Amino acid sequence: MAVTEVSRARVEGPPTLPAPGRLVKEGNEVFVEIADKRIPIGGPLPELREGEKHVNYTTSLCPVCMRLLPARVIERGGKIYIRKVCPEHGEFEELYYGDAKIYYKMMKYEESGKGAGHVKAYVALTSPCPYNCGLCSMHENHSALVNLVVTNRCNLSCYYCFFYAEKAGYVYEPSIELLRYQVRQIKKQGFTMAIQITGGEPTLREDLPEIIKMLREEGVRHIQLNTAGIKFAEMYFNDPEAAINYARTLREAGVNTVYMSFDGVTPKANPKNHWEVPFIFEVFRKSGMTSVVLVPTLIKNANFNEMGLILKFAGKHMDIVRAVNFQPVSLSGQLKRSERERMRVTIADAINGIEEQTDGQIPADTWYPIPVAAKFAKFVEASVGSEQFCMANHPMCGAANYVFVERGPDGVPTKFVPLGNFFDIEGFIEFLDEERFNIEDSKFKKLALLKGVIDLRKFTDKERMPKELSFSKLLTSVLIRRNYDALGELHYRMLFIGMMHFMDLYNYDVERVRRCNIHYTMPDGRVVPFCTFNVMESLYRDYIQAKYKKMDLQVNKMEGFNPGEKYNRSKYILRIKKDPLYYETYKGLIY
């Protein structure tokens, strides 16, 4: 495989990679042949029943055979559902969004994307979406955050995990040069690169610092490390200085943010790393790793009731925690509807739950969908005349909020003040849309932008704004200077709360996939949306990684790693419980 340098200049299109599948017609039947499978296309249009309101049509997949089906999105009982009918496996209906009122608000901010950047497309178009991923000419957004899988090994075995080596039956661990090729494929889009190093558990790779340095060499601006943090804690238990030096090495190599799994504050809700987090945080503080995003996977009957407590925990540790990104669980496997209902959480459910669990301090009406960011981008684009990084996701893919945190003497949050409490977000968005067209006709575009920022003051209620916060000045910095540091300053002054709901085969909406900007880069050079890579894993993730595997687990030998070797908490639990650091971390929350 040749690895060639690609400049940051505009690239109108590289040599097109082969498409993953092809459309085949036999009589009245249509199929897609992909990944050694033959998948039928089409089915009947689902009926609208009494007491239901039609919302829109889309396409979806059969949860059994992945057949492409027409689907109907409906409103019933104040909630939004998606329904599809497979000719072979029958009807499937799934909760799509748990609150119709919030759904309609979010959909109001829909924005269109511009395709896959300067690359236009990586693969030829030979099949309907989502059987043609790589990205193709049907895709509507460039990559915003790219997942780079460096291993499928893991020192844990979480039941809801998308994948790890034992499930796959082989070890996938690409060389640094192959990873470099994958990064250069992303570079062809011509936008600022943000990459998340993921797995498996990336810290199991001994050459992780070298991988991070390679990313910096290739011009990656933002590097995020996805981890459960267990290695940092285990190293600390055995040699605190070595753990701190390891984290410092990663930071100095180029890691900007640690994207850390954290499912709850109590040990019941978070059996994964509750006991280790105090020591992970100690390592981060002493190594200068001061940008941590907590990532809870939300499951209705597991940790849903701890969302408010998680936010308090984040607020208590705002010296290093910058954000909480809730991820409602994506359900895999063949599950009965009753089983799915016991676990299913939608973004709307989480928004309403947070309002309740914070005693109304973070109201549901202060949340907005991700494509609001695209309105910022298009406003700036019109002002300065150059193409901007644009996040035009489907409104159902995510939601966001910024909150100012007031804390007591012990550091525990006493009050959350959402941005929407003192800033007219809806009025500001309307202003952006209106002014965008005026600015496009302005001769002095930067002056027009400056005037626009000055006008932003009218959207701020100074009486309700926290005294420690000068939001108008921060926003001016973001829009005028348009640099990484200005946005970073905002992150350091407020707590960002995000939500990303990755789909599964039950609630699959092809329109969402087409607008996805959270992508995976694959070893064959393709770039694939999150919800095809992980949801249609037999067609994408597992099919390709098996071809590039390092070893089969039956061999059970690999330098520096035994695939059956997992983290053993029992070796450390007595020491953990005796350490004041543990109690101090959770003091005022559960102790």
Side-chain angles (χ1 to χ4, degrees), residues 401-421:
N401 209 330
Y402 267 109
V403 297
F404 184 81
V405 183
E406 296 181 4
R407 305 196 298 176
D410 58 355
V412 176
T414 56
K415 188 177 181 181
F416 295 107
V417 184
L419 175 61
N421 276 18

mmCIF file of all heavy atoms in Angstrom, residues 401-421:
data_model
loop_
_atom_site.group_PDB
_atom_site.id
_atom_site.type_symbol
_atom_site.label_atom_id
_atom_site.label_comp_id
_atom_site.label_asym_id
_atom_site.label_seq_id
_atom_site.Cartn_x
_atom_site.Cartn_y
_atom_site.Cartn_z
ATOM 1 N N ASN A 401 -25.853 21.812 25.724
ATOM 2 C CA ASN A 401 -26.150 22.878 26.674
ATOM 3 C C ASN A 401 -24.834 23.335 27.293
ATOM 4 O O ASN A 401 -23.893 22.540 27.421
ATOM 5 C CB ASN A 401 -27.091 22.373 27.777
ATOM 6 C CG ASN A 401 -27.978 23.458 28.348
ATOM 7 O OD1 ASN A 401 -27.608 24.623 28.381
ATOM 8 N ND2 ASN A 401 -29.164 23.068 28.803
ATOM 9 N N TYR A 402 -24.759 24.604 27.643
ATOM 10 C CA TYR A 402 -23.652 25.130 28.435
ATOM 11 C C TYR A 402 -24.224 25.605 29.760
ATOM 12 O O TYR A 402 -25.252 26.287 29.783
ATOM 13 C CB TYR A 402 -22.985 26.312 27.731
ATOM 14 C CG TYR A 402 -21.799 25.958 26.864
ATOM 15 C CD1 TYR A 402 -21.879 26.021 25.473
ATOM 16 C CD2 TYR A 402 -20.589 25.583 27.439
ATOM 17 C CE1 TYR A 402 -20.788 25.717 24.679
ATOM 18 C CE2 TYR A 402 -19.492 25.279 26.652
ATOM 19 C CZ TYR A 402 -19.592 25.347 25.277
ATOM 20 O OH TYR A 402 -18.508 25.043 24.501
ATOM 21 N N VAL A 403 -23.557 25.267 30.864
ATOM 22 C CA VAL A 403 -24.027 25.730 32.172
ATOM 23 C C VAL A 403 -22.877 26.344 32.951
ATOM 24 O O VAL A 403 -21.738 25.867 32.902
ATOM 25 C CB VAL A 403 -24.672 24.587 32.996
ATOM 26 C CG1 VAL A 403 -25.905 24.041 32.310
ATOM 27 C CG2 VAL A 403 -23.682 23.475 33.279
ATOM 28 N N PHE A 404 -23.182 27.409 33.640
ATOM 29 C CA PHE A 404 -22.251 27.985 34.610
ATOM 30 C C PHE A 404 -22.533 27.308 35.946
ATOM 31 O O PHE A 404 -23.694 27.101 36.315
ATOM 32 C CB PHE A 404 -22.454 29.503 34.723
ATOM 33 C CG PHE A 404 -21.470 30.173 35.625
ATOM 34 C CD1 PHE A 404 -20.203 30.496 35.172
ATOM 35 C CD2 PHE A 404 -21.798 30.458 36.941
ATOM 36 C CE1 PHE A 404 -19.280 31.103 36.005
ATOM 37 C CE2 PHE A 404 -20.889 31.070 37.786
ATOM 38 C CZ PHE A 404 -19.612 31.395 37.319
ATOM 39 N N VAL A 405 -21.482 26.949 36.662
ATOM 40 C CA VAL A 405 -21.622 26.174 37.895
ATOM 41 C C VAL A 405 -21.247 27.027 39.100
ATOM 42 O O VAL A 405 -20.114 27.519 39.197
ATOM 43 C CB VAL A 405 -20.746 24.904 37.858
ATOM 44 C CG1 VAL A 405 -20.968 24.070 39.119
ATOM 45 C CG2 VAL A 405 -21.044 24.073 36.614
ATOM 46 N N GLU A 406 -22.206 27.216 39.997
ATOM 47 C CA GLU A 406 -21.926 27.875 41.275
ATOM 48 C C GLU A 406 -21.638 26.788 42.307
ATOM 49 O O GLU A 406 -22.400 25.822 42.424
ATOM 50 C CB GLU A 406 -23.120 28.735 41.710
ATOM 51 C CG GLU A 406 -23.405 29.896 40.769
ATOM 52 C CD GLU A 406 -24.565 30.758 41.229
ATOM 53 O OE1 GLU A 406 -25.102 30.482 42.337
ATOM 54 O OE2 GLU A 406 -24.935 31.690 40.502
ATOM 55 N N ARG A 407 -20.540 26.948 43.050
ATOM 56 C CA ARG A 407 -20.109 25.894 43.963
ATOM 57 C C ARG A 407 -19.996 26.410 45.387
ATOM 58 O O ARG A 407 -19.715 27.586 45.628
ATOM 59 C CB ARG A 407 -18.763 25.323 43.513
ATOM 60 C CG ARG A 407 -18.768 24.835 42.069
ATOM 61 C CD ARG A 407 -17.597 23.949 41.741
ATOM 62 N NE ARG A 407 -16.310 24.614 41.882
ATOM 63 C CZ ARG A 407 -15.138 24.001 41.711
ATOM 64 N NH1 ARG A 407 -15.114 22.714 41.429
ATOM 65 N NH2 ARG A 407 -14.006 24.656 41.842
ATOM 66 N N GLY A 408 -20.193 25.492 46.337
ATOM 67 C CA GLY A 408 -20.055 25.821 47.740
ATOM 68 C C GLY A 408 -18.604 25.755 48.183
ATOM 69 O O GLY A 408 -17.710 25.432 47.394
ATOM 70 N N PRO A 409 -18.332 26.027 49.462
ATOM 71 C CA PRO A 409 -16.959 26.002 49.989
ATOM 72 C C PRO A 409 -16.267 24.661 49.800
ATOM 73 O O PRO A 409 -15.037 24.603 49.684
ATOM 74 C CB PRO A 409 -17.144 26.313 51.479
ATOM 75 C CG PRO A 409 -18.458 27.015 51.571
ATOM 76 C CD PRO A 409 -19.309 26.426 50.484
ATOM 77 N N ASP A 410 -17.046 23.575 49.773
ATOM 78 C CA ASP A 410 -16.463 22.244 49.599
ATOM 79 C C ASP A 410 -16.298 21.861 48.132
ATOM 80 O O ASP A 410 -15.874 20.751 47.813
ATOM 81 C CB ASP A 410 -17.313 21.196 50.311
ATOM 82 C CG ASP A 410 -18.756 21.162 49.818
ATOM 83 O OD1 ASP A 410 -19.122 22.017 48.984
ATOM 84 O OD2 ASP A 410 -19.514 20.285 50.270
ATOM 85 N N GLY A 411 -16.633 22.787 47.231
ATOM 86 C CA GLY A 411 -16.488 22.526 45.803
ATOM 87 C C GLY A 411 -17.680 21.855 45.161
ATOM 88 O O GLY A 411 -17.753 21.751 43.934
ATOM 89 N N VAL A 412 -18.629 21.392 45.964
ATOM 90 C CA VAL A 412 -19.807 20.718 45.423
ATOM 91 C C VAL A 412 -20.763 21.760 44.824
ATOM 92 O O VAL A 412 -21.037 22.779 45.466
ATOM 93 C CB VAL A 412 -20.523 19.897 46.506
ATOM 94 C CG1 VAL A 412 -21.809 19.271 45.965
ATOM 95 C CG2 VAL A 412 -19.589 18.816 47.044
ATOM 96 N N PRO A 413 -21.248 21.540 43.605
ATOM 97 C CA PRO A 413 -22.161 22.503 42.982
ATOM 98 C C PRO A 413 -23.410 22.756 43.815
ATOM 99 O O PRO A 413 -24.013 21.826 44.363
ATOM 100 C CB PRO A 413 -22.518 21.832 41.658
ATOM 101 C CG PRO A 413 -21.356 20.962 41.341
ATOM 102 C CD PRO A 413 -20.902 20.447 42.677
ATOM 103 N N THR A 414 -23.773 24.023 43.933
ATOM 104 C CA THR A 414 -25.005 24.410 44.614
ATOM 105 C C THR A 414 -26.055 24.877 43.624
ATOM 106 O O THR A 414 -27.243 24.886 43.932
ATOM 107 C CB THR A 414 -24.733 25.535 45.615
ATOM 108 O OG1 THR A 414 -24.119 26.643 44.932
ATOM 109 C CG2 THR A 414 -23.795 25.061 46.718
ATOM 110 N N LYS A 415 -25.596 25.262 42.415
ATOM 111 C CA LYS A 415 -26.540 25.760 41.416
ATOM 112 C C LYS A 415 -25.938 25.646 40.022
ATOM 113 O O LYS A 415 -24.766 25.929 39.819
ATOM 114 C CB LYS A 415 -26.908 27.221 41.709
ATOM 115 C CG LYS A 415 -28.033 27.763 40.827
ATOM 116 C CD LYS A 415 -28.378 29.196 41.225
ATOM 117 C CE LYS A 415 -29.523 29.742 40.362
ATOM 118 N NZ LYS A 415 -29.848 31.153 40.725
ATOM 119 N N PHE A 416 -26.787 25.225 39.069
ATOM 120 C CA PHE A 416 -26.415 25.235 37.657
ATOM 121 C C PHE A 416 -27.175 26.371 36.976
ATOM 122 O O PHE A 416 -28.389 26.485 37.129
ATOM 123 C CB PHE A 416 -26.777 23.913 36.978
ATOM 124 C CG PHE A 416 -26.010 22.719 37.494
ATOM 125 C CD1 PHE A 416 -26.627 21.770 38.289
ATOM 126 C CD2 PHE A 416 -24.668 22.556 37.180
ATOM 127 C CE1 PHE A 416 -25.923 20.667 38.762
ATOM 128 C CE2 PHE A 416 -23.952 21.455 37.643
ATOM 129 C CZ PHE A 416 -24.576 20.517 38.437
ATOM 130 N N VAL A 417 -26.462 27.201 36.223
ATOM 131 C CA VAL A 417 -27.092 28.308 35.499
ATOM 132 C C VAL A 417 -26.872 28.091 34.006
ATOM 133 O O VAL A 417 -25.789 28.360 33.486
ATOM 134 C CB VAL A 417 -26.508 29.672 35.933
ATOM 135 C CG1 VAL A 417 -27.249 30.812 35.231
ATOM 136 C CG2 VAL A 417 -26.570 29.833 37.450
ATOM 137 N N PRO A 418 -27.872 27.593 33.297
ATOM 138 C CA PRO A 418 -27.704 27.347 31.859
ATOM 139 C C PRO A 418 -27.537 28.643 31.076
ATOM 140 O O PRO A 418 -28.054 29.700 31.464
ATOM 141 C CB PRO A 418 -29.007 26.640 31.462
ATOM 142 C CG PRO A 418 -29.663 26.238 32.724
ATOM 143 C CD PRO A 418 -29.202 27.194 33.763
ATOM 144 N N LEU A 419 -26.840 28.557 29.978
ATOM 145 C CA LEU A 419 -26.653 29.692 29.077
ATOM 146 C C LEU A 419 -27.997 30.297 28.686
ATOM 147 O O LEU A 419 -28.149 31.526 28.620
ATOM 148 C CB LEU A 419 -25.892 29.222 27.833
ATOM 149 C CG LEU A 419 -25.692 30.217 26.697
ATOM 150 C CD1 LEU A 419 -24.899 31.425 27.172
ATOM 151 C CD2 LEU A 419 -24.980 29.537 25.536
ATOM 152 N N GLY A 420 -28.995 29.454 28.456
ATOM 153 C CA GLY A 420 -30.309 29.928 28.041
ATOM 154 C C GLY A 420 -31.036 30.744 29.092
ATOM 155 O O GLY A 420 -32.030 31.405 28.785
ATOM 156 N N ASN A 421 -30.549 30.723 30.341
ATOM 157 C CA ASN A 421 -31.173 31.527 31.398
ATOM 158 C C ASN A 421 -30.859 33.014 31.251
ATOM 159 O O ASN A 421 -31.622 33.856 31.712
ATOM 160 C CB ASN A 421 -30.693 31.058 32.778
ATOM 161 C CG ASN A 421 -31.493 29.867 33.287
ATOM 162 O OD1 ASN A 421 -32.151 29.190 32.512
ATOM 163 N ND2 ASN A 421 -31.418 29.607 34.572
#
